Amino acid sequence: MSGSMHLAFDLSFSHTEGRWARPGSWAGTSFPDVRVFQELAMTAERAGIDLLFFGDGSGIPDTWRGSIDSAVEWGIQWPRQDMSPFIASMAAVTKNIGFGLTYSSTFMHPFYVARLLNSLDHVTSGRLAFNVVASSRSADANNYGFDQLMEHAKRYERMEEFVEVCQALWDSVEPDAIITDRETGRFADPAKVHPINHDGEFFKVKGPLSSVPSPQGRPVLIQAGNSPRGIAASAKFADLVFGAGSSVASQQRHREQLDAALVEEGRNPADVGILWSTQAVVGRSDDEARARLAETLEFWDEEAVGAYLSHNSGYDFSDLPDTIVLGELGELIRAQQASPGGLVGSLIEEFGPDHGISRDEFFERGWRHATHFDHVLCGTAESVADSLEENFEATGSRGGFMFSSPLSMPGGYADIAELLTPELRRRGLLAPQQENSTLRESLRS
Ligand SMILES: Cc1cc2nc3c(=O)[nH]c(=O)nc-3n(C[C@H](O)[C@H](O)[C@H](O)COP(=O)(O)O)c2cc1C
């Protein structure tokens, strides 16, 4: 990882949580029209964005009141397509930008995923990243044969084995195994194609991979778990980490914990950047940006907020008492095997586990958390660039930012591409734009 700032657009929430209805969104089209994604990919590439990222979750949120109704009614984290064919179509109209695709190691099989990602790395000419997630939502688990989520630590053990199998499969056909000698008709050298004979706790895979090595060999590996166990998993295999952006102090702690874990694994902390999930509303004036934000803030409904928060925390907040002791709520969430982080984790960090918070305040804070407006950068390109520059330095100048939750799609990202990235480039913060490099290469520049 170089000292340059790298940028990504998170397209996981480009239509959910009411964004489909905001001015500047899906005008003349409706989700999931592939042309909107293609146009945005071209715009982002021109602006020098390194990566388009697609998060995933396959279950419709149903933790709130034990029902999918609120999520369906308000479009909360739903609908979501499998983005792999969309990536193929965006790759056809671009040359440099990378694509990050998410699959869950808790539910998928590594042979299928390794083979699919190998094909996508071919189709994108080496511009693919794999965001491997342990999954923290019971709605996802219920679609894959589980009544409840696998235990938190077990999910990470399975993730590490899943990645080990994928890596062995990607390495199972040596780069020079393919001969394609037209005179003799020999296609490949069998001495360079190896079974992996993996027999572990979770998976049994003979191998080798039934495809030819892809341009990057292995896609760039991304991991986003923020718990100590999640950070330990990142230190084992991640090339790039996604971090939550709640405060500079918590980001610095995350960076320190990751660095220590990387050193323990014998890896160089300078090689692994963190992209901080960041919401930026960029306008031609401060007033314009603030007005757009205020309009979106008016949009939310308590049922929608409840569906979002309960899904992400794995706990039904619909019957919370009038006063809630944060530490006790954290324990109840842990007991559901959901993530100890999230909204409740950050409230505990802010106020301490013994703090009692009223139900109303909990939902008010939750609403800002759900909209990501608890840490939004809002203003002109100059003022947002100042904040990013400061934040980049304060968190070790390794990685950069993943812009998330645009107010409108593609409008919110088009503003960043048109106004903010030229300002960052003018300040010399971004790496020079390269032609036809793999994603791994452009992240190193
Ligand atoms: C920026 C960012 C993006 C994430 N994207 C996804 C995603 O697409 N799908 C998913 O199931 N989890 C996603 N997560 C959640 C993490 O992968 C992880 O499951 C969660 O942080 C809980 O892990 P932990 O208990 O180790 O903190 C994301 C987290 C962050 C910070």
Side-chain angles (χ1 to χ4, degrees):
M1 206 87 203
S2 71
S4 299
M5 189 188 281
H6 292 278
L7 301 177
F9 281 167
D10 179 355
L11 291 171
S12 320
F13 311 107
S14 55
H15 58 289
T16 58
E17 284 84 67
R19 290 186 183 88
W20 59 274
R22 301 291 80 212
S25 279
W26 300 99
T29 57
S30 54
F31 178 81
D33 192 323
V34 71
R35 289 169 299 176
V36 176
F37 290 100
Q38 287 179 324
E39 269 171 36
L40 183 75
M42 290 188 281
T43 305
E45 177 163 279
R46 276 196 299 275
I49 300 293
D50 297 277
L51 179 74
L52 296 180
F53 169 70
F54 304 89
D56 196 29
S58 55
I60 304 180
D62 64 355
T63 308
W64 174 255
R65 303 190 194 288
S67 159
I68 62 168
D69 289 357
S70 297
V72 170
E73 185 167 6
W74 296 101
I76 303 302
Q77 307 270 300
W78 177 83
R80 289 179 121 173
Q81 308 300 121
D82 183 313
M83 294 308 289
S84 52
F86 288 78
I87 287 176
S89 76
M90 285 182 275
V93 296
T94 53
K95 278 195 185 138
N96 305 314
I97 197 162
F99 304 96
L101 181 61
T102 299
Y103 285 117
S104 169
S105 51
T106 303
F107 308 128
M108 306 293 282
H109 196 283
F111 188 85
Y112 174 78
V113 171
R115 188 165 177 239
L116 174 65
L117 298 181
N118 165 285
S119 292
L120 278 172
D121 201 47
H122 280 288
V123 167
T124 60
S125 306
R127 293 184 278 146
L128 193 74
F130 171 32
N131 177 45
V132 54
V133 292
S135 295
S136 51
R137 295 146 187 163
S138 57
D140 296 351
N142 298 157
N143 284 333
Y144 288 93
F146 299 96
D147 291 329
Q148 61 184 50
L149 266 175
M150 192 183 291
E151 198 199 326
H152 189 261
K154 264 257 172 306
R155 297 205 297 275
Y156 277 111
E157 282 164 33
R158 185 176 155 118
M159 176 189 277
E160 286 170 358
E161 192 182 323
F162 186 102
V163 171
E164 193 188 317
V165 173
C166 287
Q167 287 176 328
L169 287 168
W170 289 321
D171 293 345
S172 65
V173 181
E174 291 183 38
D176 58 352
I178 310 304
I179 314 167
T180 50
D181 184 338
R182 285 179 186 275
E183 276 179 23
T184 62
R186 287 181 80 226
F187 180 73
D189 180 354
K192 294 185 173 171
V193 179
H194 313 283
I196 67 166
N197 293 319
H198 179 90
D199 190 356
E201 185 185 347
F202 299 95
F203 306 109
K204 192 168 179 187
V205 181
K206 187 173 172 204
L209 197 67
S210 53
S211 356
V212 299
S214 69
Q216 293 185 111
R218 304 166 170 195
V220 170
L221 288 174
I222 302 174
Q223 217 274 119
N226 289 324
S227 63
R229 185 62 186 89
I231 290 172
S234 289
K236 272 202 165 37
F237 62 76
D239 299 306
L240 185 64
V241 166
F242 283 162
S246 50
S247 72
V248 177
S250 72
Q251 290 173 340
Q252 285 171 326
R253 250 193 323 275
H254 187 167
R255 183 72 251 185
E256 278 164 24
Q257 286 169 358
L258 178 64
D259 287 355
L262 284 163
V263 169
E264 207 160 295
E265 289 291 332
R267 297 180 67 196
N268 183 356
D271 292 343
V272 183
I274 302 182
L275 293 187
W276 302 107
S277 179
T278 301
Q279 202 197 23
V281 180
V282 186
R284 282 170 186 75
S285 69
D286 283 336
D287 286 348
E288 183 197 310
R290 273 197 294 266
R292 235 185 278 152
L293 184 60
E295 186 191 283
T296 310
L297 278 167
E298 282 167 19
F299 189 69
W300 277 71
D301 174 278
E302 182 171 315
E303 286 295 304
V305 176
Y308 181 96
L309 294 178
S310 297
H311 180 57
N312 277 350
S313 303
Y315 184 78
D316 183 1
F317 295 123
S318 65
D319 54 3
L320 284 182
D322 290 342
T323 306
I324 305 129
V325 178
L326 291 172
E328 288 173 13
L329 186 57
E331 284 311 311
L332 290 171
I333 289 171
R334 249 178 233 278
Q336 303 287 326
Q337 302 302 342
S339 171
L343 170 67
V344 176
S346 61
L347 289 174
I348 292 175
E349 206 176 290
E350 189 176 338
F351 297 112
D354 300 329
H355 182 77
I357 186 171
S358 74
R359 191 178 192 280
D360 287 348
E361 192 186 346
F362 180 82
F363 275 96
E364 164 66 23
R365 295 291 295 246
W367 168 62
R368 290 185 175 272
H369 179 82
T371 51
H372 303 267
F373 293 153
D374 48 359
H375 51 270
V376 62
L377 303 177
C378 178
T380 59
E382 291 75 21
S383 69
V384 173
D386 286 347
S387 304
L388 293 179
E389 196 171 351
E390 241 170 65
N391 188 291
F392 189 59
E393 268 179 41
T395 53
S397 304
R398 276 164 288 153
F401 300 94
M402 178 162 64
F403 297 112
S404 183
S405 308
L407 294 190
S408 62
M409 167 73 180
Y413 284 151
D415 288 340
I416 291 176
E418 188 190 330
L419 303 171
L420 180 60
T421 52
E423 177 61 24
L424 294 170
R425 196 167 297 288
R426 197 183 59 71
R427 296 180 187 202
L429 293 167
L430 306 182
Q433 285 176 274
Q434 293 185 17
E435 283 288 312
N436 299 320
S437 53
T438 65
L439 176 61
R440 200 178 288 283
E441 286 161 353
S442 52
L443 290 173
R444 280 203 201 111
S445 65

